[in-house]
Amino acid sequence: MPVTKKKPVKKSNTIKLKFDTSWSYDPAPESKSAATIKPQYDLFINGEWQKPLSNKYFATINPANEEKLSEVAEANTADVDKAVKAARNAYEKYWKKMPARERAKYVFRIARMVQEKARELAIIETLDGGKPIRESRDFDVPTAANHFFYYAGWADKLEYAFPNRKAEALGVAGQIIPWNFPLLMAAWKIAPAISTGNTVVLKTAETTPLTALKLAEIIEEADLPPGVVNIITGAGETGAAIVNHPDINKIAFTGSTDVGKIIQRAVAGTHKKVTLELGGKAANIIFEDAPIDQAVEGVINGIYFNQGHVCCAGSRLYVQESVAKQVIRKLKDRIESLIVGDPLDKNTDIGAINSRSQLETIQKYLKIGKQEGAEMYESSCPLPKKGFWCRPTLFTNVAQSNRIAQEEIFGPVLSILTFRTDDEVIEKANNSPYGLSAGVWTDKGSKIFNMTRRMRAGVIWANTFNKFDPSSPFGGYKESGFGREGGLHGLLPYLSLKV
Ligand code: NAP
Ligand code: MG
């Protein structure tokens, strides 16, 4: 029988550590006043803030309390066309002609300004998307700045990156990003594109437009020539208008596999180059010889980091049978100690779910998991009354064929399965439509190499998880998409190489 732990209902927004009631952290909220959010944002086209031709705006809210933060323009097909024209003009008139070392200076400047405004960007990221301030402050914003630094460095060294080949920019890149790492995804896309001499039209996700709009302000202040980067806001139709625009040379998309498939169909038979970074269902594998406490901490980081809103989240845990009991007990203890609540509080481990619709998706999967016969265990922590929240949850007794082991939940929900042999776990780990990332925990280097050689995943972490570096390429196999972002490989999607 599926067992669901009873949850105590509390009214307070102050979250206490459950298993030691004798003490708790005092609230340590970051100050909202260190960030400026305008009541309304227009579209950033041709270096200017332009009213949308659609005349429409929509609200973006704080998912932790459902309060409106601002309203942003909804770009229609005519707005997209205007942005593409500005990007084309900038490309032909000056960006492609500018010496690479000069282009690099602009990108370095953006990187430094992102660093200078790091605190404000982190606060806005947390307010708009619901992720804990600790993550936006320590991961999203510094990693975004690092991507600009890294690709600025490559701009005038392409002849060393691709010896004996002439690297040429493609032209105008249309870029569409999701809501889970809004600023970081913008950096992943814009930095390699402009460093290699392309110009950009980027669309943010509907629920998290604000840090990309802040980045537009930075780009304006950095004096980047008008039209080199155009940042627009809107819904799925705005994205489709970018994909279908005839004067775009390259589409870079990060998002769901479903939309990725629509995009691939839309560009079939056109001259457009495409990279797709899509969903995932990463296998995190613990062998009996692994340092168990370290592995448990890695699993916690792998799935509960950013509320599980991570394409490469370690959402399938495979534990060798001999240590399964021990690992599951430790995981249950550990999720009890995770602090869920105010994302602006520096102690918070798990913030708000990004939107009501994502919360509904997660809740649907919790139901499915129970119906499939898995045992659900969730932390007993109280949840704030307003906003979108989900307790850290795990399922045991999961079968390989269960939907919670096969489909992407994109929330703080871990499915735990067991295995006996290397061959068995490789077969199970590879038995997935996805192939984005994986993790291996073991004391033996030879085992790590054996696993990484035979597993079909773009990134495999060994004795760690969710580690990123701009110099390291990232991307998937199978339905997780194709093309790589980051590293030297991340230059390729924006270049044509001639002999
Ligand atoms: P999504 O629904 O596919 O949306 C991604 C972006 O595409 C958003 O900007 C969205 O606009 C836009 N869009 C929606 N329909 C479109 C269409 N028909 N044509 C063009 N653009 C369209 O994905 P999501 O739910 O926001 O993001 C979560 C997904 O992204 C997960 O599956 C996750 O695994 C994946 N992801 C992958 C990576 C990776 O690197 N592989 C990284 C992060 C996330 P709206 O926001 O207005 O809908
Ligand atoms: Mg929002």
Side-chain angles (χ1 to χ4, degrees), residues 149-391:
F149 276 122
Y150 177 77
Y151 281 110
W154 271 123
D156 61 351
K157 300 174 192 69
L158 297 179
E159 61 189 293
Y160 304 104
F162 309 107
N164 305 319
R165 313 283 286 276
K166 192 167 164 6
E168 280 177 9
L170 299 175
V172 178
Q175 308 183 321
I176 300 163
I177 56 173
W179 43 259
N180 55 348
F181 293 94
L183 179 70
L184 183 57
M185 289 298 120
W188 275 28
K189 300 247 175 310
I190 294 172
I194 62 174
S195 299
T196 47
N198 300 273
T199 57
V200 163
V201 175
L202 175 131
K203 182 193 99 68
T204 67
E206 227 169 310
T207 55
T208 53
L210 295 181
T211 44
L213 293 166
K214 255 309 173 228
L215 181 63
E217 288 178 0
I218 288 175
I219 285 168
E220 190 181 13
E221 214 180 312
D223 239 355
L224 193 74
V228 171
V229 173
N230 304 276
I231 295 183
I232 62 174
T233 43
E237 297 86 74
T238 314
I242 294 178
V243 171
N244 295 317
H245 197 287
D247 199 28
I248 279 193
N249 303 92
K250 191 231 150 43
I251 299 291
F253 172 79
T254 298
S256 61
T257 297
D258 286 349
V259 175
K261 287 179 181 173
I262 296 173
I263 292 177
Q264 203 173 4
R265 278 194 288 271
V267 300
T270 71
H271 66 284
K272 292 171 196 166
K273 262 195 165 189
V274 189
T275 39
L276 300 175
E277 302 279 1
L278 309 175
K281 189 78 185 175
N284 210 350
I285 301 169
I286 302 184
F287 286 97
E288 60 189 2
D289 63 353
I292 297 295
D293 286 335
Q294 191 185 325
V296 165
E297 212 42 44
V299 170
I300 293 284
N301 170 41
I303 182 64
Y304 301 119
F305 169 62
N306 199 26
Q307 297 71 250
H309 297 337
V310 186
C311 50
C312 52
S315 51
R316 279 187 294 159
L317 173 63
Y318 291 96
V319 197
Q320 200 153 19
E321 232 172 60
S322 49
V323 289
K325 224 170 142 185
Q326 183 191 7
V327 167
I328 291 168
R329 184 181 47 77
K330 283 178 185 267
L331 281 170
K332 286 181 177 174
D333 285 351
R334 185 67 180 93
I335 62 174
E336 275 298 323
S337 72
L338 292 174
I339 302 174
V340 183
D342 181 6
L344 271 184
D345 194 309
K346 292 163 195 154
N347 297 318
T348 294
D349 296 307
I350 298 190
I353 300 301
N354 185 268
S355 63
R356 184 183 298 281
S357 80
Q358 187 56 34
L359 180 59
E360 285 166 2
T361 303
I362 297 167
Q363 285 165 342
K364 179 189 85 181
Y365 277 106
L366 296 183
K367 232 176 172 175
I368 290 172
K370 286 187 269 183
Q371 282 163 356
E372 286 178 322
E375 268 180 41
M376 184 174 119
Y377 179 87
E378 59 179 352
S379 149
S380 61
C381 66
L383 296 181
K385 274 175 70 186
K386 282 192 84 184
F388 315 129
W389 305 94
C390 179
R391 294 185 174 82

